[in-house]
Amino acid sequence: MYTHTDLAKLQAQSLKMQGFIRKQTYSPEMEKTLRRFSSWEVAELILKINPSTFRGRLAADPSLPEGLVEEDGRQRWYTLDEINELRRKLKIKSKSLMPVRPAGKRAVRAAIANFKGGAGKSTVALHFAHAAALDGYRVLAVDFDPQATLSHSMGLSDVSEEVTVWGIMARDLIRETERMNAAAAGAESGTALPQRKLPASVTGMGLSDLRVTDFIKPTSWSTIDIIPSCANAAFVEFASAQYRHLNPEWSFFAAVSRYLDQIPADAYDLIIFDCPPAIGYQSMNAVFAADVLYVPSGPGYWEYDSTTSFIGQLSEALEDLGRFRGRLPSGTNPDKVFSDIRFLLTRFEPNNDLHRAMQTAFGQVFKSHVTEHPIEMTRAVEQSGRFLSSIYEMDYRQMTRETWRRARMSFDRAYDEFQATLVAAWDKLED
């Protein structure tokens, strides 16, 4: 017979293996570090300019970053910060290399969500965040998934649950309850609202005193920050049910949205949510805060079936939020509106007849909502997942350049569509 004690022992054994794997993956200091990028990558794949033009500009302008030169002098290697300095200083045919960013608007938000575990949500979120950073954007990733795959892939392993989405929601409960108690009357009826009292187990944790920046952690990418998750944050679903009982008027689904609204509009360009494989308190917060909904799905029938169930149940859950009308702060509408909804096929094999048939089926049903370019399954993609890295973090010298490049091009094409979708959504945001 086995109890929770046996499970705790199994976890302890697994944590030892986790530490061993991390030693093989990260630097000797147990910190994930970002590699340098070759001048070939910088010119052709990142800045998208002719390599000879790039070399000519470097020779003509000594103020540009030189990078780290190989001993034979044939190749230069640049840090991400040096790449961004090159992007700011260089102009090609009088055209800036800076990415599209509408002035005066907050960061655009995208939720990567689906029911199905293994659909590639964390992989997509990780690669889109890294691709956006190489594109010159400042990114905030939010890990809503208690499995914390995105957080671990970003190099964060020792995370306290207070600085996860759970902490944001508990902090919001306290602040919203105080706001409601201070209100003299209901927003519509004019009747006095009941005074809600929260127990010391909630108010005594000190969460209401945390600043917005206390939840945001840096990563090995200088232009990517993350609100991390951890295994202990799994109890957020249980805690949130209790919190709703303590204050039924609390609009739990808008907690993260209210938090993000406190971040300065120009602090980030893109905010990417990695959602858990379920419709619950965390995923509803992500969906409600998002401008764009991105739904990854594997190319099989069961993935299609799961995706169909997901959008149906999500529709019902969003419809139910209408009962909070009149209880929300002024200017908040419980009728969620997305600028766009997109379906992205993952683990796609172009030579697989079933995969091609399912791609056709997705297109017939979801039409223009299906992205043109699926993410292909390649050996390099499998290898990147095994080492908690994106294809962008992997050095192409670890394999044949063509194998690496094929995998990268698949993610590049998917990211280009993602970026175009977000830019279109940006135009619809209020200044």
Side-chain angles (χ1 to χ4, degrees), residues 123-382:
T123 299
V124 169
L126 179 71
H127 280 80
F128 281 178
H130 288 173
L134 290 176
D135 208 16
Y137 287 114
R138 297 160 302 162
V139 181
L140 175 64
V142 186
D143 193 350
F144 286 83
D145 192 347
Q147 296 177 89
T149 302
L150 182 63
S151 299
H152 293 161
S153 298
M154 290 283 191
L156 281 82
S157 55
D158 188 16
V159 175
S160 169
E161 59 264 26
E162 285 84 4
V163 294
T164 65
V165 169
W166 167 75
I168 290 175
M169 293 180 68
R171 173 180 179 267
D172 185 77
L173 167 68
I174 297 168
R175 293 188 169 202
E176 281 295 286
T177 302
E178 291 173 349
R179 180 187 67 81
M180 292 175 185
N181 285 341
E188 292 182 359
S189 64
T191 10
L193 292 172
Q195 292 287 299
R196 300 293 181 184
K197 185 171 177 59
L198 302 178
S201 60
V202 176
T203 59
M205 293 185 291
L207 294 174
S208 62
D209 298 326
L210 290 179
R211 301 162 299 178
V212 169
T213 53
D214 289 334
F215 296 92
I216 299 173
K217 306 301 175 185
T219 72
S220 57
W221 290 66
S222 58
T223 52
I224 301 178
D225 291 335
I226 187 170
I227 297 173
S229 184
C230 66
N232 287 349
F235 68 84
V236 70
E237 295 299 316
F238 303 103
S240 299
Q242 178 193 16
Y243 295 162
R244 290 187 65 191
H245 176 72
L246 294 172
N247 184 354
E249 282 80 30
W250 175 49
S251 50
F252 66 92
F253 56 88
V256 172
S257 182
R258 282 189 286 263
Y259 166 82
L260 293 176
D261 287 343
Q262 298 172 49
I263 297 176
D266 61 350
Y268 299 99
D269 304 312
L270 311 181
I271 301 180
I272 298 175
F273 306 146
D274 182 24
C275 300
I279 293 180
Y281 294 101
Q282 295 182 85
S283 54
M284 287 303 293
N285 263 271
V287 166
F288 190 79
D291 303 305
V292 171
L293 180 63
Y294 240 72
V295 184
S297 175
Y301 171 76
W302 296 116
E303 288 94 341
Y304 170 78
D305 185 63
S306 178
T307 297
T308 302
S309 297
F310 169 72
I311 59 176
Q313 293 190 35
L314 181 59
S315 170
E316 293 174 2
L318 290 172
E319 184 180 16
D320 286 345
L321 300 186
R323 68 183 183 278
F324 282 89
R325 194 179 306 279
R327 302 177 190 172
L328 291 163
S330 176
T332 307
N333 186 352
D335 293 332
K336 178 61 194 172
V337 177
F338 299 105
S339 293
D340 207 341
I341 299 173
R342 307 281 280 173
F343 296 87
L344 169 66
L345 287 180
T346 59
R347 306 193 323 275
F348 185 78
E349 298 173 10
N351 296 324
N352 187 309
D353 291 340
L354 173 61
H355 290 191
R356 290 201 304 270
M358 289 310 302
Q359 184 182 33
T360 300
F362 268 86
Q364 288 176 341
V365 173
F366 302 121
K367 298 184 170 53
S368 62
H369 290 291
V370 180
T371 62
E372 180 182 354
H373 299 290
I375 292 174
E376 295 182 16
M377 174 54 74
T378 68
R379 187 172 65 85
V381 171
E382 289 181 307

Side-chain angles (χ1 to χ4, degrees), residues 74-111:
R74 290 191 303 173
Q75 190 77 274
R76 296 173 184 265
W77 295 83
Y78 292 89
T79 66
L80 179 60
D81 289 337
E82 288 173 331
I83 293 170
N84 282 326
E85 185 178 349
L86 287 166
R87 191 189 305 278
R88 287 190 297 270
K89 289 184 174 181
L90 284 175
K91 287 190 176 181
I92 303 299
K93 296 180 180 178
S94 301
K95 184 180 177 181
S96 171
L97 299 181
M98 295 298 290
V100 177
R101 209 308 185 184
K105 297 194 175 185
R106 64 160 173 80
V108 65
R109 308 167 186 170

Side-chain angles (χ1 to χ4, degrees), residues 6-46:
D6 299 287
L7 291 173
K9 289 178 181 177
L10 290 173
Q11 189 212 19
Q13 294 170 5
S14 183
L15 287 173
K16 289 181 181 178
M17 177 58 73
Q18 199 177 64
F20 172 77
I21 294 172
R22 200 169 287 122
K23 283 181 180 178
Q24 312 307 309
T25 306
Y26 297 169
S27 68
E29 294 77 21
M30 291 287 283
E31 292 183 1
K32 189 168 187 179
T33 55
L34 180 60
R35 70 178 179 92
R36 288 175 175 265
F37 299 85
S38 70
S39 51
W40 164 73
E41 289 177 271
V42 173
E44 190 170 325
L45 300 180
I46 298 176

Side-chain angles (χ1 to χ4, degrees), residues 44-65:
E44 190 170 325
L45 300 180
I46 298 176
L47 300 181
K48 297 179 175 60
I49 60 178
N50 189 291
S52 61
T53 300
F54 181 55
R55 289 193 296 270
R57 292 298 182 90
L58 290 176
D61 188 350
S63 72
L64 295 174

